[in-house]
Amino acid sequence: LDENEEDMPSRHQPTSADVARKAGVSRATVSVVLNGTQGNMRVSAATRQKVLAVAAELGYSPHPVAQALRRRQSRVIGFVPRSFHKLPFVLPIPYLLSIYVAQAATALRYHVVEVDDASRSGDELVRFLRSRRVGGVIFDAPDTPEAVRRVIAGQPSWLGEGLVPIVQLMRPQFAAETPTITVDARRGIDAAIDHLVDLGHRRIAFIGESGAHPVDRARRDYFLAALVRHGLECPPDYFQLGRAYSLEVGYSCTQVLLGLPERPTALFTASDTYALGALRALYEADVRVPDRMSVVSYDDAFAGHLYPPLTSVTQPLKEVATSAVSLLIDSIESVERAKTIAQVVLPTHLTVRGSTAAVRLS
Amino acid sequence: LDENEEDMPSRHQPTSADVARKAGVSRATVSVVLNGTQGNMRVSAATRQKVLAVAAELGYSPHPVAQALRRRQSRVIGFVPRSFHKLPFVLPIPYLLSIYVAQAATALRYHVVEVDDASRSGDELVRFLRSRRVGGVIFDAPDTPEAVRRVIAGQPSWLGEGLVPIVQLMRPQFAAETPTITVDARRGIDAAIDHLVDLGHRRIAFIGESGAHPVDRARRDYFLAALVRHGLECPPDYFQLGRAYSLEVGYSCTQVLLGLPERPTALFTASDTYALGALRALYEADVRVPDRMSVVSYDDAFAGHLYPPLTSVTQPLKEVATSAVSLLIDSIESVERAKTIAQVVLPTHLTVRGSTAAVRLS
DNA sequence: ATGAAAGCGCTAACAA
DNA sequence: TTGTTAGCGCTTTCAT
């Protein structure tokens, strides 16, 4: 009621000094107890108990900002999302990744600062990252190797010494020579084709992207290779390529396929987005899925929420994010730089839903 | 090449001391120049130029952690997402909000720490927020008033004095008596019904939620009120209520409507999720949209990406997030607490797409 | 096993 | 107009 007492810890969050005073020890001891320095037998069991008890009683928790200043590391990592923020829910993968990255970082008591659209390119990016003192950077599918290299070059480092670690996700620029976390399409695509063939399909068409990036190549190549394994082949008419992962490409390629003298009975699309476009074209043409056409997509980003729910090749996005974060934080915290550049590859698998069925004999 | 020079700024990020030395002034002056203290005429134009030049040359930017420690405020806000993280893309609103909140905060040079699922409830939440020294908290649609109250009670504050400001979004617990940012369904719903009536519809059905929360009530009440304005009414059969915003409810309610002796010609659903379920039911029953049934949804979260793209009542999610962040930060930074509890209400509007058409005369 | 002292990089009072 | 001083809360040698 009366505010002017002398040593009132008062309304402030308690500090280590408060704990020390009340426990009758020094602040140094409090720090040692709470941080359990490796040979933690430094402090006697008795004082240890005492300090812990007082800390709990006071609801003490160390001030993260002061810790960061003293330890000279801020437990902050930067996340640079792909330049994709335009197509909100047609492809939620970028959002999912950013959420999973944040979750994984939080679990390790790190913060994520996400670079916003404006400052994603050029020196602006380096300035931003530097001013925030990030301890490492995760790039999701950077547009160019330069974007990544600039961050590397913006160093000798803005923190202590050495370089700030960098990890690239999903669709890396290998020329930048950083560790990468990617996904291997093969297993999922193999399973998809096995599944279709098991259902009796022989005329299987493909809608994909024509790009030269390994990620795009993989989807095409593994599709073709899987057909070959079954002694099948893909006539050129059945192999439709577009120049972007857009709904429109999926739509128009499907129309082409439906106009063919001998229609395919199954369709594999290299992304959920294509599948969405395909579904529209099929709907308009009154070709029922899966009765008249089986559809398998790649991504499994929203495939399960369409009608019918799509059989799809599932990418382990959460694992990608988690490995990226732990790889990054490991190299932030390890004293010496690793000599080899880690290249983590995570497998895909097939998730069977309602868009595939046995081929109709009629 | 030789590392042991004396005053080598070296590989470290420059500090204000580096700038001060090189500019021949004191660190205090550097600080004043860079922070432009209100009566910024304190420092002469000459030294001002000098300092700015040196700072630019050295690529100096103040260490945010040191600033935070000294200024006793960390520029961090907490975001508590709704307990909804289960249904990833059936309803992306929670994700959008978290992204928009982060963007708005970044623009104001704040960080957001998002509370993760595990520690969303109970004392765990208070501990988390307190340990991170957040300067304020945004709740998205908290489950109970207690969740919010606990955070208020976990105070007399973990920062300086006074309470940590709190803002609730979208579906607040009014009993907790914090500022709120909500959306007014009326304008959008009025426009939706006007639109349908203009198209000749008279038999308009509703699928909604039966909850007692003002947000749920509003959607029901404004729908009915809008019909009344046009001299129409909604027979009980046309007024379908479920107990959750789930796809299944949308699906089964639509089946009920289709089984009615006199089918409605238009359908208003109180969420995108219902609309998705409705679309499935209509598809299966071969009722073409919009030829045989016009559909309007509420939310406009992913309505534009369905087939056909749905006419929908659009919620200004980005504005909600932006107002929340600026309201919160204003009250963090203002010295005295506002006496009145701000209740910001943002309007909705109708976005017309391809799921509505003139009623068929057949 | 413990405490004293120093200082991370910055800013705000107070002097000059 | 500018510089000096004194910390913010913490951790880490280095003494004891």
Side-chain angles (χ1 to χ4, degrees):
Chain A
L1 301 156
D2 194 338
E3 293 277 304
N4 53 4
E5 306 182 35
E6 194 43 71
D7 59 9
M8 176 187 62
S10 85
R11 25 203 319 124
H12 286 59
Q13 176 80 345
T15 73
S16 75
D18 295 322
V19 177
R21 190 174 330 117
K22 188 144 188 188
V25 299
S26 73
R27 281 152 67 226
T29 302
V30 173
S31 173
V32 170
V33 168
L34 265 55
N35 296 314
T37 325
Q38 67 286 52
N40 58 1
M41 290 316 155
R42 189 189 140 158
V43 34
S44 76
T47 46
R48 172 178 206 73
Q49 298 304 333
K50 181 76 182 166
V51 168
L52 256 18
V54 172
E57 179 193 347
L58 260 40
Y60 169 74
S61 77
H63 197 305
V65 170
Q67 284 183 315
L69 184 62
R70 177 62 231 234
R71 292 180 170 153
R72 318 173 114 257
Q73 51 109 320
S74 50
R75 300 186 85 80
V76 171
I77 62 179
F79 178 71
V80 187
R82 63 183 76 179
S83 49
F84 225 66
H85 267 342
K86 306 132 195 175
L87 318 173
F89 286 94
V90 176
L91 197 66
I93 289 177
Y95 298 107
L96 284 176
L97 285 173
S98 88
I99 288 159
Y100 293 146
V101 163
Q103 283 180 356
T106 300
L108 269 33
R109 300 194 55 85
Y110 270 69
H111 286 216
V112 177
V113 314
E114 186 166 332
V115 178
D116 70 343
D117 250 47
S119 51
R120 182 150 14 60
S121 62
D123 294 333
E124 188 55 33
L125 173 59
V126 176
R127 250 199 309 280
F128 180 84
L129 260 12
R130 174 195 298 240
S131 75
R132 296 292 240 243
R133 269 36 172 211
V134 303
V137 183
I138 296 177
F139 280 88
D140 174 31
D143 288 327
T144 62
E146 282 68 42
V148 181
R149 286 218 197 89
R150 219 189 313 261
V151 172
I152 299 176
Q155 316 202 349
S157 147
W158 54 69
L159 298 173
E161 49 263 68
L163 299 181
V164 166
I166 292 177
V167 173
Q168 298 183 75
L169 296 189
M170 298 302 288
R171 179 184 290 267
Q173 296 290 348
F174 292 102
E177 296 192 327
T178 74
T180 59
I181 317 282
T182 53
V183 141
D184 177 19
R186 176 173 277 145
R187 247 160 73 173
I189 293 181
D190 277 353
I193 303 306
D194 291 353
H195 172 64
L196 290 174
V197 171
D198 281 354
L199 292 169
H201 294 278
R202 297 293 176 272
R203 302 206 301 275
I204 306 175
F206 178 88
I207 298 178
E209 222 262 358
S210 56
H213 192 283
V215 165
D216 304 317
R217 304 189 75 90
R219 297 184 196 175
R220 303 193 298 262
D221 295 349
Y222 294 153
F223 170 80
L224 294 173
L227 287 191
V228 168
R229 270 198 301 108
H230 287 283
L232 300 172
E233 63 170 20
C234 186
D237 280 348
Y238 280 17
F239 199 71
Q240 298 282 331
L241 298 184
R243 257 164 296 101
Y245 286 99
S246 77
L247 198 144
E248 287 70 26
V249 167
Y251 181 83
S252 58
C253 288
T254 303
Q255 289 185 317
V256 171
L257 292 170
L258 292 177
L260 257 24
E262 192 174 48
R263 279 188 182 175
T265 64
L267 175 58
F268 180 91
T269 69
S271 83
D272 272 6
T273 311
Y274 286 154
L276 190 55
L279 248 27
R280 293 189 187 180
L282 293 167
Y283 180 80
E284 289 182 359
D286 236 329
V287 177
R288 290 282 180 144
V289 176
D291 311 356
R292 290 291 169 180
M293 179 76 78
S294 285
V295 176
V296 180
S297 74
Y298 185 96
D299 275 346
D300 199 12
F302 53 78
H305 300 291
L306 300 177
Y307 187 78
L310 257 40
T311 296
S312 188
V313 175
T314 305
Q315 299 193 100
L317 295 186
K318 186 158 195 172
E319 289 72 18
V320 167
T322 306
S323 332
V325 169
S326 52
L327 182 59
L328 189 74
I329 291 180
D330 277 354
S331 51
I332 288 174
E333 293 182 349
S334 76
V335 196
E336 53 222 299
R337 293 276 153 267
K339 303 114 229 343
T340 66
I341 300 180
Q343 309 284 358
V344 178
V345 179
L346 269 17
T348 51
H349 68 271
L350 185 70
T351 301
V352 177
R353 300 200 183 87
S355 65
T356 43
V359 67
R360 282 269 278 256
L361 302 177
S362 80
Chain B
L1 302 158
D2 193 339
E3 293 278 302
N4 52 5
E5 307 181 36
E6 195 41 71
D7 59 8
M8 177 185 62
S10 86
R11 22 202 322 122
H12 285 60
Q13 175 80 344
T15 73
S16 74
D18 295 323
V19 177
R21 191 174 329 118
K22 188 145 187 188
V25 298
S26 74
R27 281 153 69 227
T29 302
V30 173
S31 174
V32 171
V33 169
L34 266 55
N35 295 315
T37 325
Q38 66 284 54
N40 58 3
M41 289 317 154
R42 189 190 140 155
V43 34
S44 76
T47 45
R48 173 178 204 73
Q49 298 304 333
K50 181 76 183 168
V51 168
L52 255 17
V54 173
E57 180 192 347
L58 260 40
Y60 169 74
S61 77
H63 196 305
V65 170
Q67 284 184 314
L69 183 62
R70 177 61 233 236
R71 293 178 169 156
R72 317 171 116 258
Q73 51 109 321
S74 51
R75 300 187 85 79
V76 171
I77 62 179
F79 178 71
V80 186
R82 64 183 75 179
S83 51
F84 225 67
H85 266 342
K86 306 133 193 171
L87 319 172
F89 287 94
V90 175
L91 196 67
I93 289 176
Y95 298 106
L96 285 176
L97 286 172
S98 89
I99 288 161
Y100 293 146
V101 163
Q103 282 180 357
T106 301
L108 267 35
R109 299 194 56 84
Y110 270 69
H111 286 217
V112 176
V113 313
E114 187 166 332
V115 178
D116 70 344
D117 250 48
S119 50
R120 184 153 8 63
S121 62
D123 294 333
E124 187 57 32
L125 173 59
V126 176
R127 250 199 308 282
F128 180 84
L129 260 13
R130 172 195 298 241
S131 76
R132 296 293 239 244
R133 275 17 177 226
V134 303
V137 183
I138 295 177
F139 281 87
D140 174 31
D143 287 328
T144 62
E146 283 68 42
V148 181
R149 286 219 197 89
R150 219 190 313 262
V151 171
I152 298 175
Q155 314 201 353
S157 148
W158 53 70
L159 298 174
E161 48 262 69
L163 299 181
V164 167
I166 292 178
V167 173
Q168 298 185 73
L169 296 188
M170 299 301 288
R171 179 184 290 268
Q173 296 290 348
F174 292 102
E177 296 193 328
T178 74
T180 59
I181 317 282
T182 53
V183 141
D184 176 19
R186 175 174 277 144
R187 246 158 76 172
I189 293 180
D190 277 354
I193 303 306
D194 291 353
H195 172 64
L196 289 174
V197 171
D198 282 354
L199 291 169
H201 293 279
R202 296 294 176 271
R203 303 205 302 274
I204 306 176
F206 178 87
I207 299 179
E209 222 261 357
S210 57
H213 192 283
V215 165
D216 303 317
R217 304 188 76 90
R219 297 184 196 175
R220 302 192 300 261
D221 295 349
Y222 294 153
F223 170 81
L224 294 172
L227 287 191
V228 168
R229 270 198 302 109
H230 287 283
L232 300 173
E233 63 169 19
C234 185
D237 281 346
Y238 280 17
F239 199 71
Q240 297 284 329
L241 298 184
R243 255 165 297 102
Y245 286 99
S246 78
L247 198 144
E248 288 69 26
V249 168
Y251 181 83
S252 57
C253 288
T254 304
Q255 289 186 319
V256 171
L257 292 170
L258 292 177
L260 257 25
E262 192 174 48
R263 279 188 184 176
T265 65
L267 175 58
F268 180 90
T269 69
S271 84
D272 272 6
T273 310
Y274 286 153
L276 190 55
L279 248 26
R280 293 189 188 180
L282 293 167
Y283 179 79
E284 288 181 0
D286 237 329
V287 178
R288 291 281 179 144
V289 176
D291 311 356
R292 290 290 169 181
M293 179 76 79
S294 285
V295 176
V296 180
S297 73
Y298 185 96
D299 275 345
D300 199 13
F302 53 78
H305 300 291
L306 299 177
Y307 188 78
L310 256 43
T311 296
S312 188
V313 175
T314 305
Q315 300 194 100
L317 295 186
K318 187 159 195 170
E319 289 72 18
V320 167
T322 306
S323 331
V325 168
S326 52
L327 181 60
L328 189 73
I329 291 180
D330 277 355
S331 52
I332 289 174
E333 293 182 349
S334 78
V335 196
E336 53 222 301
R337 293 278 153 266
K339 306 114 224 346
T340 65
I341 299 181
Q343 309 284 358
V344 178
V345 179
L346 269 16
T348 51
H349 68 271
L350 184 71
T351 301
V352 176
R353 300 202 183 87
S355 64
T356 43
V359 68
R360 281 269 278 255
L361 302 177
S362 81

